[in-house]
Amino acid sequence: MLQEAGQAGQKPDPNPDYSDAFTVEVSEITATSARIAASCKYPELYWTVDVIGKNDYDFYIAGNEYEMQSYFTNYLLDVALSYGYTSLRDFLPEYLFAGDYEYDEVMENLMLETEYIPFSIGMDFNAGFTTGFYFGDSFSTAELPKSDLAFEFKLDVRETSVTMDVYPSDKEAYYYATIIDSSYFGAGFSDEYIMNDLLRSYGDDLIHYLYRGDLIGEESTGMIPTTYYYAIAFGVDAENGYYNTELFKQEFQTVQAIVSDAYAEGSMDNYWLIEDLVEYNPSYEGLIGSEDLFGALDIEFNDSAVSAVCVVYVGDLSDVDMDELYRSALVQGTPVGRDDPARLVYMSYNDPCTICVIAKDADGYNGEMSLTVVNLAEEGTSHDYGLFDEYYNAYMGGANGMDGVLVAKKAL
């Protein structure tokens, strides 16, 4: 984490009125860049210039100077960290311009079809703001030519999952498709912003997440019953990573939960001190982690249950809202099959944890959640190392490897 800057830089005289300190002009706007020319009228100031997306400004800032200061300070922290700095005090002398500097550069990597607001601000080397924010006229990056690619969806909606088929009109075209929750649209983000945001998150790996031809049987799980989501798809220019169609979307609501009589319950009667395991078998040294114990999470299924999701939460959650905990377990839980070997879990002595298990029947419906609070005492430590070998070889020794180890989580 960045340290706070400890020394002030050169501070301007607080008496002058700096409301006219800056000029900012924008030109040569393309789909992903714009030339920004900016200057400062006061040589005693240190300052910088940047742009903020109009959507971000409207959502986070809404004309509030304090919120803009907070937003920009957090942005500076991220930039400083990305360049390997550990304090703003070291970073800002390299980042800020002297008052007589005239900025004239092309800003790259802007999002296409996006409205931006350019701004300038005076700062000292201690990240103090020495002027108010000056905002220039907003501008929008240009549109790219669109293809006539279109999509149709077929959805099989259940209580906590959906299976999606996507049929593009051009079977050779590249496109992106996924399920998103309705918060994207509830937050007021435009279709263009959503497409840009999704594509940029993949960086150079984007090509591996694009589809061609019909997409059949794509399943999304961990959803919440009676909640609205969207199936979306849009064309992508694979060469430059930009979308080239409108956003096609189909809203749907997960169905009301049908409670099955499927039931499964977790227990953790066997647990070992990792230090003892390493002494018993030095090859277990690679299992040393942040916790002291390995617990074996055994799950017992009734006749109706064919699978389940299980999760171990930090703390005793027996008094929390069970409906909220149920939804959290569906989202955060790890799938387990009826015949899967037991999971191994990193645990600690006298540190209460809650095991939540939700079983699923053969028709895909969930049963009631079982809740078991465990508090592992030192006197209960197992010294049956042959039994641990059996657990380890059944799961860890197979194809699952270290991915088989669970770590206790905090509930959503």
Side-chain angles (χ1 to χ4, degrees):
M1 180 178 292
L2 283 176
Q3 304 170 1
E4 293 184 1
Q7 298 179 2
Q10 179 180 346
K11 283 194 173 184
D13 183 345
N15 295 320
D17 177 8
Y18 290 117
S19 60
D20 64 343
F22 306 106
T23 62
V24 179
E25 296 181 355
V26 181
S27 61
E28 301 178 20
I29 302 168
T30 73
T32 59
S33 67
R35 179 176 291 277
I36 309 292
S39 63
C40 177
K41 296 180 180 179
Y42 297 93
E44 69 269 24
L45 290 175
Y46 287 93
W47 65 287
T48 189
V49 62
D50 214 314
V51 298
I52 180 173
K54 181 69 161 50
N55 262 23
D56 285 341
Y57 181 86
D58 290 343
F59 185 72
Y60 296 108
I61 314 304
N64 186 303
E65 183 85 0
Y66 175 78
E67 294 296 337
M68 185 66 194
Q69 290 180 354
S70 176
Y71 173 93
F72 190 58
T73 299
N74 289 330
Y75 168 77
L76 289 177
L77 293 173
D78 290 339
V79 174
L81 286 169
S82 71
Y83 281 103
Y85 289 89
T86 56
S87 73
L88 286 177
R89 180 188 60 199
D90 295 331
F91 173 65
L92 289 176
E94 301 293 328
Y95 179 79
L96 297 175
F97 310 132
D100 58 356
Y101 180 80
E102 293 191 1
Y103 180 92
D104 187 358
E105 295 185 21
V106 175
M107 286 191 176
E108 305 280 0
N109 298 318
L110 302 180
M111 296 192 295
L112 66 152
E113 294 184 83
T114 300
E115 187 175 2
Y116 288 94
I117 305 173
F119 66 89
S120 290
I121 182 66
M123 300 185 70
D124 61 31
F125 295 156
N126 197 39
F129 293 92
T130 57
T131 73
F133 283 89
Y134 173 83
F135 294 97
D137 294 333
S138 65
F139 67 95
S140 295
T141 49
E143 296 183 12
L144 288 180
K146 299 293 196 300
S147 75
D148 57 1
L149 180 65
F151 300 91
E152 293 183 1
F153 300 95
K154 180 181 178 183
L155 305 176
D156 178 14
V157 182
R158 296 187 173 236
E159 55 181 323
T160 60
S161 66
V162 61
T163 301
M164 173 177 64
D165 298 341
V166 182
Y167 302 96
S169 59
D170 180 353
K171 307 305 181 186
E172 298 301 316
Y174 284 98
Y175 67 95
Y176 179 82
T178 191
I179 302 295
I180 61 175
D181 64 62
S182 58
S183 64
Y184 274 90
F185 300 99
F189 296 131
S190 67
D191 289 358
E192 293 75 21
Y193 182 95
I194 292 170
M195 290 188 287
N196 271 318
D197 187 58
L198 290 169
L199 293 179
R200 287 164 70 96
S201 68
Y202 292 105
D204 294 337
D205 295 327
L206 174 62
I207 188 65
H208 303 298
Y209 295 90
L210 300 181
Y211 299 102
R212 296 174 79 183
D214 295 341
L215 176 62
I216 305 298
E218 182 71 10
E219 185 180 22
S220 293
T221 59
M223 305 168 81
I224 299 172
T226 63
T227 300
Y228 286 99
Y229 296 86
Y230 284 85
I232 65 168
F234 55 89
V236 178
D237 184 325
E239 184 175 344
N240 58 36
Y242 304 140
Y243 62 83
N244 58 13
T245 69
E246 63 182 277
L247 177 65
F248 289 80
K249 53 185 179 285
Q250 182 170 320
E251 186 181 32
F252 65 92
Q253 184 182 29
T254 47
V255 301
Q256 177 71 42
I258 298 176
V259 180
S260 167
D261 63 352
Y263 188 78
E265 187 170 5
S267 62
M268 197 175 293
D269 297 329
N270 299 294
Y271 53 95
W272 295 262
L273 184 64
I274 296 177
E275 181 180 302
D276 291 345
L277 292 173
V278 173
E279 184 176 347
Y280 158 71
N281 183 348
S283 68
Y284 287 147
E285 187 173 7
L287 304 180
I288 296 175
S290 59
E291 307 296 345
D292 300 323
L293 306 176
F294 252 140
L297 174 54
D298 290 298
I299 299 177
E300 184 176 351
F301 295 80
N302 72 0
D303 291 340
S304 300
V306 298
S307 64
V309 293
C310 65
V311 60
V312 180
Y313 287 119
V314 175
D316 181 347
L317 303 185
S318 54
D319 292 332
V320 306
D321 185 306
M322 287 297 108
D323 290 336
E324 289 295 328
L325 188 59
Y326 189 99
R327 288 191 286 267
S328 292
L330 284 177
V331 173
Q332 296 183 314
T334 299
V336 293
R338 183 186 184 93
D339 298 322
D340 287 353
R343 296 272 175 161
L344 296 175
V345 188
Y346 282 116
M347 301 288 289
S348 293
Y349 285 130
N350 301 315
D351 186 8
C353 286
T354 302
I355 302 170
C356 294
V357 183
I358 301 172
K360 189 183 297 288
D361 64 24
D363 294 321
Y365 294 113
N366 296 317
E368 294 183 2
M369 178 178 68
S370 66
L371 185 151
T372 306
V373 177
V374 297
N375 195 348
L376 307 184
E378 187 171 354
E379 57 268 24
T381 306
S382 175
H383 300 285
D384 187 344
Y385 305 121
L387 179 60
F388 179 82
D389 288 339
E390 293 178 16
Y391 279 111
Y392 180 84
N393 291 329
Y395 199 95
M396 296 288 292
N400 298 288
M402 286 298 291
D403 291 338
V405 179
L406 299 182
V407 178
K409 302 178 180 180
K410 293 184 179 179
L412 288 177

